[in-house]
Amino acid sequence: MTDSPANTETLSVLDRPNSYIGKTVPRPNLDRLLQGRGLYVSDMELPRMVHVVFLRSPHAHARIVEIDAGAAKRLPGVIAVVTGRELEAVITPWVGVLSHLKGLKSAPQSAIAIDRVCWQGEAVAAVVATNRAAAEDAAEHVLVEYQELEAVTDMRTTLDPQTPVIHPALGDNLAFERNHDAGHVDQAFAASDEVVEADFVFGRHTGVTLEPRAVVADWNAAEARLTIYQGTQAPHMVQNIAALHLGLQEQQVRVVCKDVGGSFGIKVHIYADEMATYALSKMLRRPIKFVADRVESFNTDIHARDHRCKGRIGIQRDGTITAFEIDDLTGIGPYSMYPRTSAIEANQVVNLVGGPYTTKNYRARARVVFQNKNVMCQYRAVGHPIACSVTEGLVDLAAMKIGMDPVEIRRRNLIADDAYPCASPSGLRFEKLSHHASLDKLLEMMNYEGLRTEQAALRKNNIHRGIGIASFIEVTNPSAAFYGVGGAKISSQDGVAVRLGAQGSVICQTSITEQGQGSESLTAQIVGSVLGVSMDRVRVMLGDTDHTPYGGGTWASRGAGIGGEAALRAAKVLRKNILDVAAAILQSSPAELDIANNSVVNTDDGTPRIELRELARIVYFRPDTLPPGIQPELMATRHFVPREYPFAFTNGVQASWLEVDTETGFVKLLRHWVVEDCGTIINPQLVDEQIRGGVVQGLGAALFEKCIYDERGQLTNANMADYLVPMSGEMPDIDVGHVVSPTLESELGAKGAGEAGTAGAAAAVTNAVNDALRPFGTIVTEIPLTPQVILTALGRI
Amino acid sequence: MRAPIPISLCVNGERVDAHVLPRLNLADFLREHLHLTGTHVGCEHGACGACTVRVNDEIIRACLVLAVQTHGASVLTIEGLSDSGEVADLQAAFRDRNALQCGYCTPGMLMAAQDLLKQDAEPDRKQIREHLSGNYCRCTGYQAIVDAVETTARLRRERKS
Amino acid sequence: MKASAFAYARATSVGNALELLAAHGGKAKVLAGGQSLMPAMNLRLISPELIVDIGEIGELRGIARRGEVLSIGALTRHVDLLKSPEIAAHSPLLTKAVAHVAHPAIRNRGTIGGSLAHADPASELPACMLALDATIVVRGQAGERRISAKDFFKGIYETALAVDELLVAVELPGVRKNASHFFHEFARRHGDYAITGLAAQAVVKDGIFKDLRMVFFAVGDRPVWSNAVGELVNAAITPALMAHISAALREELDPHADQQASSAMRRYLANVLMRRCVSTILARPDLDARAA
């Protein structure tokens, strides 16, 4: 049973004295990370542990004719060399489809390729040895005979009849197509004063988590139990899937996360080489460690955002946007990723284009096609950067066409702040957004008029600065509508258990997970506030399927909104239970008592009555002194799942101020602003830092990051010298502001914030570059905006 | 010459004697032989800075130095640096400003930041960004780190005067 | 990525190092700072049988003036070059260039000898050596050779060094009166390899170039000495002359194309650098293309 959100007996948690909600407090437990005493899976060692290295295909598409591991097996330190065929006996293949994505099809994928490899980097054999170096040595001695096949590497021609079909059983290379038609798009365009079109191209890129993917799989044959140490964002999902494919019961699998060196969605998926590692442990009956090296990471961590999107916008001279239309094409890998599917990103693009604006006329086609390149799937802000860049790029083009200021056109078309609840043209329901309030705040923060004046003055001296604005909406707190409805065993609810310890401390176990965003802190802040306990007394445990409630984990910006609300509810129950016992001990009534500063106090004057530590002593060790009949319960568990809205939408707006050196094509980022509305803010600093980190990932996409494949399907820049990630020297300072529109779906009122920065940053930068280049009449709608791209657009080369 | 080679060095103030294969790099030696896992491995080609440690008082990339090259040297890892108290104020500034999220780049960042502060007591933000330009962070976007270094520099100057 | 197995020998002297190199031919690699060698080995791009560690050879250290000439030992690290008052006084071009090399932790290990012997066409120091008219001193078991920088760099990772020779020092000749220099490179991020770069040394008197040495890097398989800019010497610098030089430079260069830039872009950026160099050294902003 759950408490109703508006419990009249107690104040809202947001009103409690000494509440941590809304306070910037340092995250607990940072000292060990600061001292280099964290424990990441890549640090782990277990007795008899050995290491696996995967021999990977050098070809994008080839038949495996023969594998000869004889010489390799004889090398010192080698425990085993295992092929896909041999591993098949231990682990079953999977198919990355969900039933609610109608028509999505994909072929079965094995943990290690059998008969055929479909991307350069796909594993063809596993070499297990006493250390990584020895395994790499042995891998060089495994002889694989390949028969090269034609590789499908250009998404634009994958559906042509003469292009080979990667999986003949599927019929063609089309994984998924979605069409959406709302309103009256053709009439709207016909009636528009102007119609503007553009082709938007996005560089494929990847997460580059500083700690690569790492797994230690430990099959204990005596216990018939598999412990998986893995920095996953969704441990219960991994538990479920590992059990399913290894023929185990759920309770035979335990997943432990440890510290995670960055994830951003990269580590929320099921990877073939990780599944192979679990299977190898079962097969070899000892712990196996797999740590992807940097080159492997580039070749096998999911890629994202490889899209080519045609966009159209209709506009009236008075600034009214009449319609949006897109035709989006995305080239994934040869398999749809498991279990979240590689159709979600394109689906999101369709869902989100035009989202902030009033026009109801919207038509979209999105096609997802297979390629012989690395697999692609959800990465921070899934689909949002594409949708935002296309939408905001079109809006700026429309403004340019009719000679209107980009702020003015947005003022005229953003959904009014009092128009809610309402729905987007793609049918998504908005509870309450604040586009106009956010825009107003942004303009004030950045001194928009001042920057325009500065821009005009500098232009006279041939210095070209630009301002780019990007409004966005963001999906957070997803319900089962995202995955569950399609049959995925991915939980959309989360739970928290809290108990009062024997010495008055509070122990929490939560099903959300921590990768550095502050899940532990938000839980402790909420529990401390609700219970009236100081944070230094609160211990949070997470990331262990044996020791936490069942839940979805942290992804799609759901930790605070869903996990936080579960923490709030559990703490409220514990508080009530404590006061019931206190009332019995003190011969008072619960209504006259409260908890503050680690003590039970009088509600009216705050006089301390009994310390929690003392109450705990009595309950645990001297229950003989309690009044008759009392059965104290100092532990409570509550779960929370969003029921009213399938997604809790947030909104925001970003601005970029930059300078384009028109002589060299180099872009200098001068400053960046974000105003974001994520509802109730639990820890302002943590939210702002999520936004900053997210923005910089978007800036990387805008200027630097691209996985460069040649026409043979070879990834040619799989290292950190050639794949350019943003470093400190080129990044601007980022100012963050907020508007607060709490969701009524929970008492906490918190929506998600983790991905907002990434959603709009590239759009703001692209718009700013085009704004800077206005005098030259050039428009660029391709990212990354490298100097070569800009010089070419300017006609200098 | 392929057999393990005896080396003797000082790590975090302690004498260490070991036999190592020539190809073992310092990062792996620290992590796997000495179980000092605070030195992290992110790329193994010197580009990310996660493995930054001090050898003979200068910061270097542990993935680009062979363990055998440190015979007779003095090595300081993040564990030793922390225990010495030399960067306690910098660590506190990082904590208060949330200049770390996942913590994986943090040991290297602290090494690089302290290297700057030892050479320049009054770096401006541009100089801080430049000195840290070889240390990759994916979580913070760098601003909080720059803030924490700037704050520490200011507080140190104030304590001096 | 772990390096393949190799044998290791710590050379006790130059002679000892040369013995080892002679014994193993092309299968040995010299380890100085290791900042280029180690990444290549970790990536298994190379798998030498023997690593000859010259890091302890005292003779290879130090910066010394011998009359007008500045002699720099091969093991002099980038950080030593950067901080050296002798180099700042004698050849400030080098001081400026070294600041662009990678990052502090790399500069604390990387050496000038290693950088020159490695001969990455996108690196800074080889071009500086040409601009400074340096002499590369190498030693083999047969004796010492002195090679002009102009003749030292042969191609990508290819120099005049024989497999059994060691680069022991670099000598920079005396600096002329009225000497000035220019260094700039275009790189995407701090410390990255250059997309296109220019190291230049000049002598200017009364607004006229008396000597001008422009060496471009990252524009081909080795540093490129520009003959075309020779026409700027003892000439009145006019916009027309600059246009002529730009055209000649475009003809002279044959840059490669890679992920960072096409050859057209490299030609274009080289021209930008040439103009900036001239206008900066002569303090004539009217010659800079940006003024247009």
Side-chain angles (χ1 to χ4, degrees):
Chain A
M1 285 299 295
T2 57
D3 295 324
S4 63
N7 187 336
T8 50
E9 270 188 283
T10 51
L11 294 170
S12 159
V13 64
L14 307 177
D15 300 324
R16 281 180 62 59
N18 300 327
S19 173
Y20 290 105
I21 312 277
K23 291 221 167 38
T24 286
V25 292
R27 287 160 55 206
N29 273 322
L30 287 185
D31 284 348
R32 69 201 171 77
L33 298 182
L34 286 161
Q35 293 174 18
R37 291 176 164 123
L39 185 57
Y40 300 85
V41 173
S42 49
D43 297 334
M44 282 187 60
E45 284 174 31
L46 294 178
R48 295 193 71 242
M49 186 179 83
V50 287
H51 300 253
V52 61
V53 158
F54 291 96
L55 181 62
R56 297 185 179 279
S57 167
H59 305 295
H61 198 193
R63 202 168 315 284
I64 304 169
V65 177
E66 199 193 341
I67 301 178
D68 177 1
K73 285 179 182 173
R74 289 189 291 274
L75 288 175
V78 175
I79 308 290
V81 179
V82 180
T83 63
R85 183 71 66 202
E86 291 161 326
L87 209 58
E88 227 185 354
V90 186
I91 187 165
T92 57
W94 55 85
V95 182
V97 295
L98 289 172
S99 60
H100 68 305
L101 298 165
K102 297 272 171 278
L104 172 61
K105 59 187 196 268
S106 187
Q109 183 181 5
S110 303
I112 295 178
I114 302 172
D115 291 338
R116 187 166 64 116
V117 285
C118 293
W119 84 89
Q120 177 245 320
E122 188 176 8
V124 304
V127 180
V128 181
T130 50
N131 63 77
R132 169 110 196 176
E136 287 188 24
D137 293 343
E140 286 183 341
H141 287 87
V142 177
L143 303 169
V144 182
E145 193 189 328
Y146 294 101
Q147 183 203 353
E148 268 191 84
L149 301 170
E150 196 180 331
V152 176
T153 61
D154 185 345
M155 69 171 90
R156 290 169 290 190
T157 55
T158 40
L159 300 178
D160 291 357
Q162 63 268 32
T163 303
V165 174
I166 298 174
H167 304 285
L170 296 181
D172 57 30
N173 288 323
L174 182 69
F176 177 67
E177 177 167 342
R178 177 170 167 205
N179 288 279
H180 183 82
D181 199 347
H184 308 279
V185 168
D186 291 323
Q187 283 115 293
F189 280 131
S192 299
D193 292 331
E194 302 281 359
V195 175
V196 183
E197 289 187 12
D199 286 338
F200 296 87
V201 178
F202 300 88
R204 184 183 250 248
H205 56 270
T206 185
V208 200
T209 60
L210 187 53
E211 183 200 19
R213 291 183 298 112
V215 174
V216 173
D218 182 13
W219 170 252
N220 183 325
E223 290 183 357
R225 209 156 189 256
L226 175 67
T227 304
I228 295 171
Y229 300 91
Q230 182 175 326
T232 176
Q233 294 173 227
H236 289 99
M237 182 197 80
V238 172
Q239 176 192 41
N240 184 288
I241 285 177
L244 176 66
H245 289 277
L246 291 168
L248 299 171
Q249 300 293 310
E250 183 183 276
Q251 62 269 26
Q252 286 180 282
V253 179
R254 175 185 180 196
V255 180
V256 181
C257 301
K258 300 290 183 190
D259 291 316
V260 183
S263 184
F264 323 107
I266 301 300
K267 296 171 185 172
V268 82
H269 303 288
I270 294 295
Y271 286 89
D273 48 23
E274 293 171 359
M275 291 280 260
T277 305
Y278 315 150
L280 286 167
S281 180
K282 189 150 180 284
M283 182 191 256
L284 299 174
R285 298 154 66 97
R286 64 198 295 177
I288 311 268
K289 184 177 196 178
F290 167 58
V291 181
D293 66 32
R294 186 49 60 191
V295 173
E296 276 182 296
S297 293
F298 277 114
N299 279 297
T300 59
D301 286 358
I302 52 107
H303 291 176
R305 318 223 219 280
D306 198 357
H307 285 249
R308 305 184 80 93
C309 187
K310 290 187 201 299
R312 258 173 116 207
I313 184 171
I315 186 80
Q316 304 294 37
R317 231 154 256 124
D318 71 356
T320 308
I321 295 170
T322 58
F324 284 101
E325 182 172 16
I326 62 156
D327 188 357
D328 182 48
L329 179 65
T330 176
I332 58 174
Y335 300 103
S336 169
M337 202 68 178
Y338 186 58
R340 294 172 191 251
T341 86
S342 303
I344 292 283
E345 186 179 87
N347 202 46
Q348 286 288 74
V349 174
V350 173
N351 281 341
L352 298 168
V353 165
Y357 300 102
T358 50
T359 182
K360 290 283 180 250
N361 302 315
Y362 171 51
R363 185 163 57 211
R365 174 172 81 154
R367 287 173 303 163
V368 179
V369 295
F370 295 115
Q371 299 182 103
N372 292 114
K373 293 181 184 174
N374 185 25
V375 289
M376 239 173 63
C377 211
Q378 280 75 299
Y379 165 51
R380 195 176 199 171
V382 186
H384 291 64
I386 313 289
C388 183
S389 289
V390 170
T391 302
E392 296 302 292
L394 288 173
V395 169
D396 262 27
L397 287 173
M400 231 181 264
K401 193 78 180 179
I402 60 170
M404 183 172 280
D405 174 83
V407 169
E408 186 55 33
I409 194 175
R410 286 171 172 85
R411 282 204 203 284
R412 294 190 189 199
N413 288 282
L414 288 168
I415 299 172
D417 291 352
D418 60 0
Y420 300 95
C422 63
S424 77
S426 56
L428 300 169
R429 289 167 53 217
F430 299 135
E431 181 188 359
K432 169 93 177 78
L433 302 178
S434 59
H435 288 296
H436 290 269
S438 298
L439 180 59
D440 288 341
K441 187 163 185 136
L442 177 85
L443 298 173
E444 190 197 310
M445 276 169 68
M446 67 190 283
N447 185 13
Y448 182 76
E449 294 306 328
L451 290 180
R452 281 291 179 211
T453 307
E454 193 179 332
Q455 178 187 44
L458 289 170
R459 255 184 191 141
K460 297 199 182 87
N461 292 329
N462 210 26
I463 293 171
H464 300 280
R465 294 193 176 175
I467 302 170
I469 310 267
S471 287
F472 62 93
I473 54 173
E474 178 74 33
V475 168
T476 76
N477 296 356
S479 65
F482 233 174
Y483 296 117
V485 297
K489 300 289 191 292
I490 295 169
S491 188
S492 47
Q493 55 82 58
D494 278 279
V496 175
V498 283
R499 76 169 193 273
L500 188 67
Q503 292 186 0
S505 67
V506 177
I507 296 99
C508 309
Q509 295 153 293
T510 174
S511 60
I512 63 172
T513 54
E514 173 82 68
Q515 296 85 41
Q517 64 276 81
S519 306
E520 196 181 328
S521 188
L522 74 90
T523 304
Q525 284 179 249
I526 291 168
V527 168
S529 302
V530 172
L531 276 185
V533 166
S534 57
M535 261 178 84
D536 62 344
R537 298 244 184 137
V538 179
R539 188 164 119 81
V540 178
M541 295 190 289
L542 31 61
D544 186 340
T545 57
D546 264 10
H547 295 300
T548 64
Y550 196 92
T554 301
W555 42 272
S557 303
R558 61 196 300 285
I562 299 178
E565 181 69 12
L568 181 151
R569 292 178 180 213
K572 282 177 80 169
V573 174
L574 179 58
R575 182 181 170 281
K576 176 187 182 302
N577 293 355
I578 289 172
L579 292 180
D580 285 346
V581 175
I585 293 171
L586 299 169
Q587 291 168 352
S588 177
S589 76
E592 292 171 310
L593 300 171
D594 193 358
I595 311 174
N597 294 323
N598 307 310
S599 284
V600 176
V601 305
N602 283 343
T603 305
D604 52 12
D605 62 9
T607 311
R609 299 294 306 277
I610 179 170
E611 280 188 20
L612 288 178
R613 157 196 298 267
E614 173 61 10
L615 183 144
R617 185 192 71 80
I618 294 170
V619 165
Y620 287 118
F621 304 117
R622 293 309 308 276
D624 56 301
T625 63
L626 289 171
I630 307 260
Q631 286 287 342
E633 178 56 71
L634 296 187
M635 184 164 181
T637 302
R638 282 294 182 271
H639 291 73
F640 177 69
V641 63
R643 294 304 312 277
E644 177 59 29
Y645 282 90
F647 311 104
F649 272 94
T650 67
N651 66 276
V653 61
Q654 300 195 24
S656 169
W657 172 234
L658 51 78
E659 187 172 307
V660 181
D661 183 335
T662 51
E663 190 182 40
T664 63
F666 278 73
V667 174
K668 187 164 171 186
L669 300 171
L670 300 171
R671 200 135 191 128
H672 203 94
W673 296 265
V674 180
V675 174
E676 206 255 351
D677 183 350
C678 56
T680 303
I681 293 174
I682 298 159
N683 185 320
Q685 179 163 257
L686 295 188
V687 170
D688 287 359
E689 289 307 303
Q690 280 297 290
I691 291 171
R692 290 193 173 99
V695 164
V696 170
Q697 281 182 297
L699 299 179
L703 297 179
F704 292 108
E705 299 185 46
K706 184 170 176 174
C707 297
I708 301 176
Y709 276 93
D710 66 17
E711 64 289 339
R712 289 167 47 236
Q714 300 287 315
L715 180 59
T716 60
N717 62 339
N719 63 76
M720 291 188 71
D722 296 327
Y723 181 97
L724 304 179
V725 290
M727 304 296 275
S728 62
E730 290 69 44
M731 291 299 109
D733 280 344
I734 300 156
D735 295 327
V736 184
H738 293 279
V739 173
V740 180
S741 309
T743 172
L744 298 179
E745 190 141 21
S746 66
E747 183 176 342
L748 191 56
K751 299 188 255 193
E755 296 166 277
T758 312
V765 168
T766 309
N767 283 353
V769 167
N770 286 325
D771 184 58
L773 298 182
R774 212 68 104 89
F776 302 88
T778 37
I779 300 291
V780 191
T781 51
E782 172 185 354
I783 59 168
L785 290 155
T786 63
Q788 169 123 2
V789 164
I790 292 180
L791 286 176
T792 306
L794 286 169
R796 299 215 186 236
I797 55 172
Chain B
M1 288 188 285
R2 268 177 188 258
I5 293 173
I7 57 172
S8 184
L9 63 152
C10 180
V11 179
N12 296 337
E14 276 177 26
R15 164 137 170 208
V16 170
D17 295 297
H19 281 73
V20 295
L21 287 177
R23 66 166 162 179
L24 182 71
N25 68 49
L26 178 61
D28 288 341
F29 174 66
L30 293 168
R31 290 174 54 77
E32 291 165 18
H33 289 235
L34 304 184
H35 306 289
L36 290 165
T37 54
T39 302
H40 296 145
V41 171
C43 74
E44 295 182 293
H45 50 282
C48 75
C51 67
T52 307
V53 297
R54 266 193 219 164
V55 173
N56 296 337
D57 274 336
E58 291 173 319
I59 56 166
I60 57 104
R61 302 275 198 247
C63 71
L64 299 186
V65 170
L66 298 173
V68 293
Q69 288 179 284
T70 62
H71 176 65
S74 173
V75 177
L76 189 72
T77 70
I78 183 65
E79 293 91 339
L81 183 64
S82 297
D83 292 347
S84 75
E86 185 187 325
V87 289
D89 57 345
L90 187 59
Q91 288 166 315
F94 265 57
R95 184 188 59 234
D96 292 342
R97 183 59 190 85
N98 207 59
L100 65 155
Q101 292 184 24
C102 80
Y104 205 75
C105 76
T106 306
M109 278 295 178
L110 289 169
M111 286 276 172
Q114 178 64 357
D115 183 65
L116 171 65
L117 294 176
K118 278 165 69 179
Q119 295 175 50
D120 185 349
E122 224 171 313
D124 61 27
R125 291 178 76 82
K126 185 162 176 289
Q127 286 166 314
I128 295 171
R129 284 183 178 276
E130 207 171 294
H131 207 86
L132 300 181
S133 63
N135 287 71
Y136 175 52
C137 173
R138 194 51 143 173
C139 295
T140 66
Y142 305 106
Q143 185 170 342
I145 296 173
V146 177
D147 288 350
V149 176
E150 196 182 36
T151 298
T152 304
R154 193 191 73 237
L155 291 174
R156 286 184 184 179
R157 292 197 303 273
E158 284 170 14
R159 277 202 298 277
K160 261 204 159 144
S161 60
Chain C
M1 298 133 34
K2 307 300 175 191
S4 309
F6 51 82
Y8 170 87
R10 191 177 295 125
T12 52
S13 66
V14 173
N16 179 223
L18 294 176
E19 274 162 14
L20 291 162
L21 290 176
H24 287 81
K27 302 215 174 92
K29 275 282 193 189
V30 172
L31 173 62
Q35 305 301 279
S36 299
L37 182 67
M38 292 293 298
M41 295 210 300
N42 288 346
L43 283 159
R44 294 203 182 203
L45 295 172
I46 55 171
S47 304
E49 280 186 2
L50 170 72
I51 293 293
V52 178
D53 183 355
I54 61 169
E56 298 295 304
I57 303 177
E59 186 196 334
L60 298 177
R61 292 193 195 289
I63 300 170
R65 273 197 81 126
R66 300 199 179 110
E68 285 293 306
V69 171
L70 197 63
S71 178
I72 306 174
L75 285 182
T76 306
R77 301 170 304 158
H78 298 312
V79 66
D80 302 325
L81 297 174
L82 192 60
K83 299 202 161 136
S84 161
E86 288 91 358
I87 290 179
H90 188 280
S91 301
L93 170 66
L94 197 51
T95 312
K96 213 179 236 167
V98 166
H100 290 261
V101 174
H103 304 286
I106 305 286
R107 292 196 290 265
N108 284 342
R109 295 289 296 185
T111 65
I112 186 167
S115 174
L116 299 181
H118 183 59
D120 187 317
S123 62
E124 294 82 358
L125 297 192
C128 290
M129 294 301 109
L130 268 78
L132 292 168
D133 198 18
T135 302
I136 318 285
V137 183
V138 313
R139 209 182 292 170
Q141 289 197 309
E144 208 165 80
R145 288 200 294 148
R146 309 168 66 74
I147 309 169
S148 165
K150 256 183 133 171
D151 300 323
F152 187 74
F153 301 99
K154 302 283 191 199
I156 303 179
Y157 311 135
E158 209 189 310
T159 68
L161 266 179
V163 291
D164 58 354
E165 281 181 318
L166 194 64
L167 193 160
V168 295
V170 162
E171 288 175 357
L172 306 180
V175 182
R176 289 171 57 178
K177 230 168 77 101
N178 299 320
S180 56
H181 64 276
F182 175 86
F183 183 90
H184 194 68
E185 65 177 53
F186 293 117
R188 294 301 316 277
R189 306 169 304 179
H190 267 91
D192 279 354
Y193 278 110
I195 296 175
T196 307
L198 173 60
Q201 188 77 2
V203 174
V204 177
K205 193 151 188 284
D206 301 325
I208 301 286
F209 283 114
K210 290 304 181 189
D211 187 36
L212 179 58
R213 314 164 63 85
M214 278 203 202
V215 185
F216 293 91
F217 56 99
V219 291
D221 66 354
R222 71 195 82 178
V224 176
W225 169 280
S226 172
N227 287 306
V229 303
E231 287 191 62
L232 292 168
V233 176
N234 287 321
I237 314 292
T238 62
L241 178 58
M242 289 298 286
H244 169 71
I245 301 291
S246 291
L249 183 62
R250 221 184 323 275
E251 275 302 303
E252 184 178 41
L253 294 176
D254 185 20
H256 61 292
D258 64 16
Q259 292 172 354
Q260 298 305 328
S262 62
S263 36
M265 180 164 157
R266 286 193 153 90
R267 276 198 177 88
Y268 169 84
L269 288 177
N271 183 50
V272 170
L273 285 171
M274 185 275 292
R275 285 181 159 267
R276 286 192 189 179
C277 173
V278 172
S279 78
T280 303
I281 290 182
L282 297 180
R284 292 221 6 222
D286 59 296
L287 296 177
D288 192 317
R290 281 171 295 188

